[in-house]
């Protein structure tokens, strides 16, 4: 598979939590810009670990060891300050996690506050409005901007979290099963949103939900026991999987 | 009547003991204070003069109220950085590691050391040190008592804040890290705002402890019945004056000491109730 | 999408000082670590001081003889000998005081704790719980004053073992009540329900199910309460005063180890005895403390 323009290249990446227990083994892949890349695989196969390695969130665990490289536009991310990297690569988590002590408004610009960047009032207002419009939340919350984000529904909270990640204009957004805690209607809204967002951002999405991957992703990875078994154009993978393990997973034999 | 009912009545009956104890304490303190109150009235609270000499007897508690507040507030101000740091080490930086275990065990041991031993250590180890670096002449006073008091209340200030800091959801910290925050920024913008009320409550409870601490303070404050005029001044706290003069007191003198006890009882009850209320309400 | 703000945000991203911020973060960590080390080093300093100075005086007579009087101590000091005598009157006094206090406080504490557990949501129980918390915060010297008024003045007409024990019991009571309630909460409700479903009388459910299955929690709470009051000095000054010989009469004054420490502290001739008594007291209290934590930890592993 030859991506049109690549933004991220993972080169022989291996990650172990304990000395010999590899959660990710020798993964090599290139991620296409302005596309949705899905990561699939059975539980415990290393999806989350791989995703977190992309913005180095996996380093928060003690005793973790990482071998190999990930290059963002050709620069090795393991040689950048994490602060800088994480601003270029945003993240959305499995469970919506808006900051409960902050209002909706403050949540959107939380990245600026956390990074100690002072904005003028008008700039803040502008960023909040644009970003909330981007995640199609503006009309729902514009009259409640200064209420706590935790009063929103689960789906709204998750869109708020996407907004929080977008407010910095990252290059890439990582999402780890962002809809697994949501109802079908909210899930559909997030999916539409992701398809909309890929015009401006590169999206990497971990999902357990095969039909979700089929519906919205352009490329798909299939992982098994830490290895990247197959990486294909999504349509090709779903219609014509090369590896029997991929086929087994897609036809529901395991996972 | 069946046995279940009897059991229930016994349980309920025992619970009355708490009411009787609390009510009885208040009643006895008020009753014991009356002779003093009849003589000095409300002036007791605002008069700084305390003179037990027969014939010139005059009793006012202001010097001790000020001494108590002064010592306890100073102790709290010293204790907060120590307690806050140990909490962060135990509940955040080294959470669930052997080092966190060592630190929290040490703090637990600190809580177990008797007050009189803190007093001895302050007298024989800390006081000479304070004299030798020239901070004070004799080494007695608010400063020395406050320092030892600060160490004594650290365990009370940390025990609750540790668990509160531990309870801040990991997901929120991760969200902040994913936005590029440093650890300090995560502590300041995520952990503190989420744990604020619990931490405040534990410092209030620690303050309540400081107010009533007796032996260590009595041994270090210099026992002068004067309004303290500075950090290095000698003085007396409400608790220390009771411990000091109780043995020789009788009549109005004794009643005045009991009235000070009543004041201390009421103040600590209010402080403790406030702390517990904050915990219940916000944490 | 407004492109000007997009542009602005891109430039901002590149202009903040990563270095300064991570330096600040590391500096903060160093300060926090320093303060924590100061705190724990004080524990070692205190224990070390007591051990170094108190070790020499601890010998056989330390446990078998009563405290010397000032004159004997002065003579020994003058001739450079070790002060004769020990702290037997203090040790027996402390055992008597704490033992009697436990006899008073443990049954009441456990029964009231069970009451709070059984009626967790009742309004009255909440009031009792709040008052218990307030009682726990009453300064020990105030407890001493109150027991002086209750027991010393009205019952024993003088300083007495009974008065001291009542004071210590009042201080133990809230601790035992709350630890009983907390450890009962840990008992799986299914266990209790199973017993009730079998038609077991209520008191048997308490004696056969609740208490046995929370037993180690109860022990932990009691040990912790004992270790808290064992070193108390202030309330004893107001209730038992002290005694130069061993006393087992509940209506008479008695000594206690912390009272002896206070007495030695106030007597320049006795200084050398301070350290051994303090070392002994602290060792005993910390041992109880550690024992209770150990039991609690062992329980939570199971
Ligand atoms: N913090 C950790 N410490 C040690 N081992 C871990 C840790 N997190 C994950 N692992 C192990 O690493 C392997 C990969 O885990 P990972 O969370 O990446 O899987 P996943 O594909 O995201 O699973 P799921 O679909 O359940 O989310 C698993 O075997 C897991 O047990
Ligand atoms: Mg996962």
């Amino acid at each position: 598979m030859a991506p049109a323009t690549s933004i991220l290249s993972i080169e022989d990446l291996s990650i172990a939590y304990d000395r010999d227990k590899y959660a990710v083994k020798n993964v090599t892949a290139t991620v296409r810009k302005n596309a949705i890349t899905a990561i699939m695989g059975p539980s415990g196969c290393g999806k989350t670990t791989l995703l977190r390695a992309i913005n180095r969130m996996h380093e928060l665990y003690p005793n973790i060891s990482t071998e190999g490289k990930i290059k963002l536009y050709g620069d090795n991310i393991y040689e950048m300050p994490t602060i800088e990297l994480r601003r270029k690569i945003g993240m959305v988590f499995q469970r919506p996690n808006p900051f409960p002590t902050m209002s909706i408004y403050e949540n959107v610009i939380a990245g600026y506050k956390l990074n100690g960047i002072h904005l003028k009032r008008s700039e803040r207002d502008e960023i909040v409005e644009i970003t909330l419009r981007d995640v199609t939340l503006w009309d729902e919350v514009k009259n409640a901007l200064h209420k706590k984000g935790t009063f929103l529904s689960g789906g709204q909270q998750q869109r708020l979290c996407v907004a929080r990640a977008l407010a910095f204009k990252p290059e890439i957004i990582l999402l780890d099963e962002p809809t697994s805690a949501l109802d079908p209607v909210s899930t559909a809204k997030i999916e539409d949103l992701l398809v909309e967002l890929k015009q401006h951002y590169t999206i990497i999405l971990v999902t357990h939900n095969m039909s979700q991957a089929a519906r919205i992703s352009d490329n798909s990875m299939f992982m098994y026991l830490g290895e990247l078994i197959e990486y294909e154009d999504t349509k090709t993978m779903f219609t014509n999987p090369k590896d029997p393990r991929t086929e087994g997973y897609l036809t529901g034999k395991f996972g | 009547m069946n046995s279940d009912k009897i059991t229930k009545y016994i349980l309920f009956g025992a619970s009355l003991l708490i009411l009787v104890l609390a009510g009885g304490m208040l009643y006895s303190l008020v009753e014991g204070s009356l002779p003093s109150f009849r003589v000095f009235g409300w002036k007791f609270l605002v008069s700084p003069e305390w003179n037990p000499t027969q014939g010139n007897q005059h009793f006012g508690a202001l010097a001790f109220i000020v001494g108590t507040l002064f010592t306890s507030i100073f102790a709290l101000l010293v204790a907060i950085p120590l307690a806050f740091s140990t909490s962060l080490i135990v509940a955040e930086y080294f959470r669930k590691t052997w080092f966190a275990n060592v630190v929290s065990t040490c703090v637990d041991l600190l809580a177990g050391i008797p007050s009189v031993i803190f007093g001895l250590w302050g007298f024989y180890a800390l006081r000479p040190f304070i004299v030798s670096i020239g901070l004070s002449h004799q080494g007695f006073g608010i400063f020395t008592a406050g320092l030892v008091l600060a160490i004594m209340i650290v365990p009370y200030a940390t025990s609750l804040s540790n668990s509160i800091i531990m309870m801040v959801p990991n997901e929120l910290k991760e969200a902040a890290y994913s936005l590029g925050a440093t650890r300090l920024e995560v502590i300041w913008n995520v952990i503190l705002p989420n744990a604020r009320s619990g931490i405040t409550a534990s410092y209030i409870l620690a303050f309540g402890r400081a107010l009533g601490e007796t032996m260590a303070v009595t041994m270090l404050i210099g026992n002068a019945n004067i309004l303290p005029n500075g950090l290095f001044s000698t003085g007396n706290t409400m608790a220390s004056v009771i411990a000091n003069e109780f043995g020789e007191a009788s009549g109005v003198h004794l009643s005045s000491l009991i009235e000070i006890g009543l004041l201390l009882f009421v103040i600590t009850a209010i402080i403790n109730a406030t702390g517990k209320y904050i915990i219940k309400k916000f944490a | 999408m407004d492109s000007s703000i997009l542009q602005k945000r891109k430039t901002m991203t590149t202009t903040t000082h990563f270095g300064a911020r991570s330096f600040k973060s590391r500096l903060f960590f160093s300060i926090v670590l320093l303060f924590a080390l100061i705190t724990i080093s004080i524990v070692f300093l205190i224990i070390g001081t007591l051990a170094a100075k108190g070790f020499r005086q601890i010998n056989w007579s330390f446990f078998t003889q009563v405290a010397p009087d000032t004159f004997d101590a002065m003579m020994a000091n003058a001739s450079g000998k070790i002060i004769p005598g020990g702290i037997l009157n203090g040790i027996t006094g402390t055992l008597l005081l704490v033992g009697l206090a436990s006899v008073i406080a443990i049954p009441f504490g456990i029964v009231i704790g069970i009451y709070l557990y059984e009626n967790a949501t009742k309004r009255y129980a909440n009031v009792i719980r709040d008052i218990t918390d307030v009682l726990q915060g009453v300064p020990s010297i105030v407890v001493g004053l109150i027991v002086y008024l209750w027991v010393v003045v009205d019952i024993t007409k003088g300083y007495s073992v009974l008065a001291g024990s009542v004071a210590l019991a009042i201080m133990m009571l809230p601790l035992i009540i709350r630890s009983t309630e907390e450890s009962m909460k840990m008992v799986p409700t299914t266990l209790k329900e199973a017993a009730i479903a079998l038609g077991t009388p209520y008191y048997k459910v308490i004696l056969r199910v609740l208490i046995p299955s929370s037993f180690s929690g109860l022990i932990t709470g009691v040990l912790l309460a004992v270790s808290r009051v064992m070193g108390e000095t202030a309330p004893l000054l107001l209730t038992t005063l002290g005694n130069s010989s061993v006393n087992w009469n509940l209506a008479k004054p008695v000594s206690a180890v912390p009272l002896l420490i206070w007495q030695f502290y106030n007597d320049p001739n006795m200084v050398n005895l301070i350290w051994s008594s303090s070392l002994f007291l602290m060792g005993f209290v910390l041992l109880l403390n550690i024992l209770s934590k150990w039991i609690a930890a062992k329980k939570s592993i199971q």
Side-chain angles (χ1 to χ4, degrees), chain C residues 39-202:
Chain C
T39 310
I40 65 171
S41 60
I42 291 169
V43 181
F44 291 111
L45 228 57
I46 293 177
I47 296 178
T49 309
L50 292 193
K53 295 195 178 184
F55 184 65
R56 259 171 302 155
Q57 187 78 34
I58 292 191
N59 49 26
W60 183 243
S61 66
F62 182 76
F63 299 101
T64 55
Q65 291 178 25
V66 296
D69 59 26
T70 308
F71 183 74
D72 292 339
M74 195 173 73
M75 295 310 286
N77 283 335
S79 57
K81 285 194 225 127
I82 283 185
I83 300 176
I87 56 166
L88 182 67
N89 51 338
I91 296 175
T92 52
T94 290
L95 290 180
L96 185 58
L97 286 166
V98 174
L100 186 56
S102 301
V103 169
I104 302 169
I106 293 173
F108 275 109
I110 289 181
V111 172
I112 299 173
I114 293 174
Y115 176 79
L116 290 183
Y117 163 77
E118 288 290 336
N119 302 280
T121 54
K122 264 193 203 151
R123 221 188 144 137
Y124 168 77
N126 284 330
V127 172
I128 295 292
R129 192 177 297 110
D130 289 343
I131 296 179
T132 306
D133 284 345
V134 168
L135 284 184
Q136 194 185 326
V138 175
S140 60
I141 185 96
V142 176
V143 173
L145 264 182
I146 289 161
V147 175
Y148 171 84
L149 295 173
W150 286 353
V151 183
V152 176
V153 175
D154 284 341
I155 299 179
T156 53
K157 316 275 183 212
Y159 296 105
S160 67
V161 176
L162 183 68
S165 297
V166 169
L168 298 186
I170 290 177
M171 299 179 66
M172 288 173 74
L173 193 61
L175 295 169
I176 296 179
I177 292 175
R178 293 312 303 274
S179 71
T180 301
E181 193 191 358
E182 293 307 315
S183 44
M184 300 247 151
K185 276 192 202 156
M186 307 283 194
V187 178
T189 43
T190 47
L191 219 60
K192 197 179 108 190
E193 278 159 7
I196 293 173
L198 291 173
T200 322
Y202 193 33

Side-chain angles (χ1 to χ4, degrees), chain A residues 47-48 94 176-177 206:
Chain A
K47 305 180 295 291
T48 298
Q94 189 165 359
D176 192 352
E177 303 186 41
V206 167

Side-chain angles (χ1 to χ4, degrees), chain A residues 135-136 140 155-163 189-190 193:
Chain A
V135 299
T136 65
E140 293 159 57
Q156 288 173 320
Q157 287 190 22
Q158 196 61 308
R159 276 182 282 154
L160 179 59
C161 292
V162 176
K189 277 193 181 159
I190 299 270
L193 170 61

